[in-house]
Amino acid sequence: MKARPTRIALTLGDPAGIGPEIVQKALLRPGHWQNAELLVVGPEACRPADLLDGWQGVPGYAGFLATEGPTQWSLGKAQAACGAAALAALRTAAQLAQSGQADALVTAPVCKEALHMAGEHVEGQTELLGRWDQAERCEMIGISGDLRVMLHTRHIGLKDALAAISTDGIEAQLHLFHETLQNIGIEAPRLALAGLNPHAGEGGLFGDEEARLLEPALERVRAAGLAVDGPCPPDSVFLQGHMGRYDGILALYHDQAFIPLKLLSAGRGLTLLAGLSYLRVSPVHGTAFDIAGQGIADENNLLAALGAATHWGARRAGLLPAE
Amino acid sequence: MKARPTRIALTLGDPAGIGPEIVQKALLRPGHWQNAELLVVGPEACRPADLLDGWQGVPGYAGFLATEGPTQWSLGKAQAACGAAALAALRTAAQLAQSGQADALVTAPVCKEALHMAGEHVEGQTELLGRWDQAERCEMIGISGDLRVMLHTRHIGLKDALAAISTDGIEAQLHLFHETLQNIGIEAPRLALAGLNPHAGEGGLFGDEEARLLEPALERVRAAGLAVDGPCPPDSVFLQGHMGRYDGILALYHDQAFIPLKLLSAGRGLTLLAGLSYLRVSPVHGTAFDIAGQGIADENNLLAALGAATHWGARRAGLLPAE
C-alpha cells in the first residue's frame, strides 16, 4: 500500500533557542520517524553539524535547505536577526507544505519577542501560518497520547474566558475538529464538549452556561450529523478521552485543557493545527532560552511530533488506509 | 515503637447504596489495613454477613456496633429510613472518634437526598461532622497518591467561584492546611497556591486576581512562617504535586482540583477532612445507587482510605514517628 515515505519539512526555529539542538538530536534517532523523509529548513549557520561530517547517509534524511539567517548571534536571548531567520525558515517550509512538495510541516519553537523585533507583531507561529494559508479559522489541538483537546479560548484571563464563550464559535469549532480528525484518518470521530461548571452544572444547579450557551451548539452540530457528547462533567471527560472513549474534546478555557494535557504528556506533548490546507504538527514546548546551547535539551517532544506527522501525513496523502 | 493498632470506627453509610457491600469486601482483605483494629458501625440488618458466619477471627476485626436502622428497604433509591440509619451510624462513630475511643473515623458514602428526607437538610457528611464537632472551619482535602488538594470553593458555578475568591479565606485555609499536614506527620509542609488565570496571569497580562487577591494572602502566611509557593501556573502545579514537589496545593475552584485528582486517582481516591478535632478519611465516591446490590462495587477506594487512616491515625496518636 505504501509507495513512498511521508515527506516532512522541518524548521530549526529560533537559532538562539533549543530548536537546532533538538533537530540534530532527532536526526540521530531515525527509528522514531521511520517511513518519513526529512528536509531540514533553516539558516546555514545552524546546519546540523553531524550531518556535515558524512551523516547524509542517515536513512530518511533528505537534506538541508538553507534560508536567510545570521552568521553570529547570542544563545538564549531574543534578537531581531534570529527572529528574522526563524520567519524565513517558517515561510519557506510552509510554502513547501502548502504547495504539496511536503506532506507535513513540523516546526521547532520560535520566540515571540524575537518575531516582534523582526517586525512581525504576532502571537506566534499559529497566527502566521493561518494568515499565509488564508485560513478562515485556525485552531490548536493539544495532544498527549490518546487525549486530543481543542481550546475554545487560550491566553486570556479566566473571567474574560467565561464572557467569551460563544455558541456560534463552539459550533464552528466542533465542525472543524470533526473534519481535522477525519483528515488524519479517524473516519467517524467521537467528540465531546466539556461543560463549564462543576458536574457540567448538575442540571442547572451551578451556573446556566450549559443550558444557555452549550446545549444550543450541540443541538445544531448533532442535527448536522456529528457525534458529540456533552456538556460533559469537566472532572471526568478528560479521563474518558485518555481512556479512549473520545477522539477529541473541546475545552472551554486554557487550564481546563492544559491541566490534563500536561499531566498526561510526560515529555511527549505535541500540537496539531486545525484549519490549514496542510498538516502541521509541533512539539508543545518553547525555545527554552534558559538551557539553550548546553546540550541538555530533550528531543522527545520533537520526536513525538515527527512520529505523528509521519503517520498522519501518510493518511492525508492516501499512503495509509484510514482507521 | 508501635504499642497498639490504630483503632478505626468505620460506618456502613446508606444501607441502600454500596456502603455495606464495600465494607464487607474490605473486611475480607485485611492486608490493606494491617496494624488497624476496625469497629464497624451501622444497622443490625447490614451487619456484614460473612462475619456472622464465624469471621470474628479476622485479625483486626474488633466487632460490630449496631445503631438504629430499618429491617427492610429498597436498594438503589433514597429513603427516609435509610437516611436516618446513615445519620445514626455517623453520629455514633463520630462520637467514638471525638472522645478518643477511636483514633480515626472512616465513612462509607451517604445519600444527600436521603439525609434530607430524614430531616437533616445538609450538603453531606462534612457539614454534619463539622457542626457536631463545633469546628470553626472544616475543609475537604482530595488525595490521589502524593497529590493533596484543598479546595477554595466547591459546588458553585465557575462565575460565582471567581467572585467568591477571598484573601482572608485563602489565608485561613493555608494555615489550616499546614496544621492538618503536620497532624498526619509532615513536619514542615511545602504548600503551593494555584493561580486563577493561564500561567498564573503571566505578570498581570491575563487577569488581575493574582496580584489583587492571591499575593496579599501569600505575603501574610509567609510572614507567619509558612512555606507557600505561588501563585503557581495551574497547568503545571498539580503535576509538580504529583511528582512530590509539594505536600499540599490549594486550588481555587472545583475542576481545577478534580481534573487532576480524578486523572491520577485510578480507583484509589480519598478525602481527608481538615479542621476536625479528630482524623476523618473517606473514599471519594458516592453511594452508586445504580449498581447497589449487584456485588460489583469496587472496594479499592475504601481500602485506600482505611490504609491512610491506619497510617495517619498512628501518627496522630504518637504511635509512629513523623516523616
Side-chain angles (χ1 to χ4, degrees):
Chain A
M1 182 101 194
K2 183 126 191 223
R4 62 167 177 81
T6 305
R7 295 162 313 191
I8 297 175
L10 169 61
T11 62
L12 288 169
D14 191 302
I18 61 169
E21 176 184 332
I22 58 173
V23 168
Q24 178 159 332
K25 286 176 168 176
L27 286 170
L28 298 174
R29 297 173 68 187
H32 289 258
W33 37 276
Q34 248 174 351
N35 300 322
E37 201 176 85
L38 297 195
L39 178 67
V40 178
V41 184
E44 180 64 40
C46 294
R47 180 192 286 262
D50 287 333
L51 299 175
L52 287 174
D53 301 334
W55 268 85
Q56 284 88 344
V58 172
Y61 177 56
F64 184 80
L65 180 58
T67 48
E68 176 212 339
T71 51
Q72 287 197 311
W73 64 94
S74 305
L75 281 171
K77 54 180 264 195
Q79 294 144 88
C82 292
L87 276 169
L90 187 66
R91 185 85 205 220
T92 296
Q95 282 166 343
L96 291 172
Q98 214 176 330
S99 65
Q101 292 170 270
D103 299 309
L105 168 65
V106 176
T107 55
V110 303
C111 168
K112 184 165 71 172
E113 196 185 343
L115 297 182
H116 291 194
M117 293 166 82
E120 277 288 7
H121 292 274
V122 290
E123 175 64 31
Q125 301 190 90
T126 300
E127 186 185 334
L128 282 168
L129 296 173
R131 188 207 303 162
W132 294 339
D133 198 39
Q134 299 180 322
E136 198 180 320
R137 175 183 279 275
C138 226
E139 303 284 354
M140 205 205 77
I141 302 172
I143 301 179
S144 295
D146 280 337
L147 179 65
R148 303 176 193 90
V149 186
M150 184 182 277
L151 285 86
H152 189 57
T153 60
R154 282 185 271 175
H155 291 128
I156 59 177
L158 187 54
K159 192 187 286 181
D160 295 332
L162 265 65
I165 296 173
S166 135
T167 302
D168 290 347
I170 288 171
E171 182 187 6
Q173 286 189 301
L174 288 170
H175 278 289
L176 179 61
F177 209 169
H178 179 86
E179 289 155 21
T180 304
L181 293 174
Q182 284 189 322
N183 281 341
I184 62 168
I186 300 169
E187 282 194 354
R190 299 157 304 159
L191 297 176
L193 171 63
L196 178 71
N197 295 300
H199 313 169
E202 202 160 317
L205 276 180
F206 327 125
D208 66 353
E209 289 88 350
E210 280 78 10
R212 190 163 51 83
L213 301 169
L214 309 189
E215 292 284 7
L218 289 170
E219 279 166 31
R220 290 190 221 156
V221 296
R222 286 170 187 154
L226 269 60
V228 191
D229 277 359
C232 298
D235 64 359
S236 56
V237 70
F238 299 99
L239 177 60
Q240 291 169 331
H242 174 56
M243 306 293 278
R245 176 157 166 195
Y246 297 113
D247 300 305
I249 299 167
L250 179 56
L252 295 176
Y253 55 90
H254 182 277
D255 291 327
Q256 198 183 47
F258 279 107
I259 289 174
L261 283 170
K262 290 212 174 175
L263 270 179
L264 297 173
S265 72
R268 300 288 189 282
L270 53 105
T271 68
L272 166 65
L273 205 49
L276 295 179
S277 65
Y278 55 87
L279 176 67
R280 188 271 193 151
V281 184
S282 74
V284 78
H285 56 74
T287 50
F289 276 166
D290 54 323
I291 59 162
Q294 295 180 26
I296 59 170
D298 181 348
E299 73 275 22
N300 282 304
N301 278 282
L302 177 60
L303 285 170
L306 289 171
T310 304
H311 194 64
W312 296 336
R315 284 264 175 71
R316 282 180 64 113
L319 304 171
L320 272 182
E323 269 176 23
Chain B
M1 182 99 196
K2 183 127 190 218
R4 61 166 176 81
T6 306
R7 297 161 312 189
I8 297 175
L10 169 61
T11 63
L12 288 169
D14 191 303
I18 60 170
E21 176 184 332
I22 58 173
V23 168
Q24 178 159 331
K25 286 176 167 174
L27 286 170
L28 298 174
R29 297 173 68 187
H32 290 257
W33 38 275
Q34 251 175 348
N35 300 323
E37 200 177 84
L38 297 194
L39 178 68
V40 178
V41 184
E44 180 63 40
C46 294
R47 180 192 286 260
D50 288 332
L51 299 176
L52 287 174
D53 302 332
W55 266 86
Q56 284 86 344
V58 171
Y61 178 56
F64 184 79
L65 179 59
T67 48
E68 176 211 341
T71 53
Q72 286 196 313
W73 64 93
S74 307
L75 281 171
K77 53 180 263 195
Q79 294 144 88
C82 292
L87 276 169
L90 187 66
R91 184 87 205 215
T92 296
Q95 282 167 343
L96 291 172
Q98 215 175 330
S99 66
Q101 292 171 269
D103 299 309
L105 168 64
V106 176
T107 56
V110 304
C111 167
K112 184 166 72 173
E113 196 185 342
L115 296 182
H116 292 193
M117 293 165 82
E120 275 288 8
H121 293 275
V122 289
E123 175 64 32
Q125 301 191 92
T126 300
E127 186 184 335
L128 281 169
L129 296 174
R131 188 208 301 162
W132 293 339
D133 198 38
Q134 299 180 324
E136 198 180 317
R137 175 181 281 273
C138 227
E139 304 284 353
M140 205 204 77
I141 302 171
I143 301 178
S144 295
D146 280 337
L147 179 65
R148 304 177 193 91
V149 186
M150 183 181 278
L151 284 85
H152 189 57
T153 60
R154 282 187 270 175
H155 291 130
I156 59 176
L158 188 54
K159 192 187 289 183
D160 295 333
L162 265 64
I165 295 173
S166 132
T167 303
D168 289 348
I170 288 170
E171 182 187 6
Q173 285 188 302
L174 288 169
H175 278 289
L176 179 60
F177 209 169
H178 178 86
E179 288 156 21
T180 303
L181 292 174
Q182 284 189 321
N183 281 341
I184 62 169
I186 300 169
E187 282 194 354
R190 298 156 306 159
L191 297 176
L193 171 63
L196 178 71
N197 296 299
H199 312 170
E202 204 161 317
L205 276 180
F206 328 124
D208 66 352
E209 289 87 350
E210 280 78 10
R212 190 164 51 84
L213 300 169
L214 309 189
E215 291 283 8
L218 289 170
E219 279 167 31
R220 290 189 221 157
V221 296
R222 285 170 188 155
L226 269 60
V228 191
D229 277 359
C232 299
D235 65 358
S236 56
V237 70
F238 300 99
L239 177 59
Q240 292 170 330
H242 173 56
M243 306 294 279
R245 177 156 165 195
Y246 298 113
D247 299 305
I249 299 168
L250 178 56
L252 295 175
Y253 55 90
H254 182 276
D255 291 327
Q256 197 183 48
F258 279 108
I259 288 175
L261 283 170
K262 289 212 174 177
L263 270 179
L264 296 174
S265 72
R268 300 289 189 283
L270 54 103
T271 67
L272 166 65
L273 204 49
L276 295 178
S277 65
Y278 55 88
L279 176 67
R280 187 269 193 152
V281 184
S282 74
V284 77
H285 57 74
T287 51
F289 276 165
D290 55 321
I291 59 163
Q294 295 179 26
I296 59 170
D298 181 349
E299 73 274 22
N300 282 305
N301 277 282
L302 178 59
L303 285 170
L306 289 171
T310 304
H311 193 64
W312 298 335
R315 283 265 173 73
R316 281 180 64 113
L319 304 171
L320 273 181
E323 269 175 22

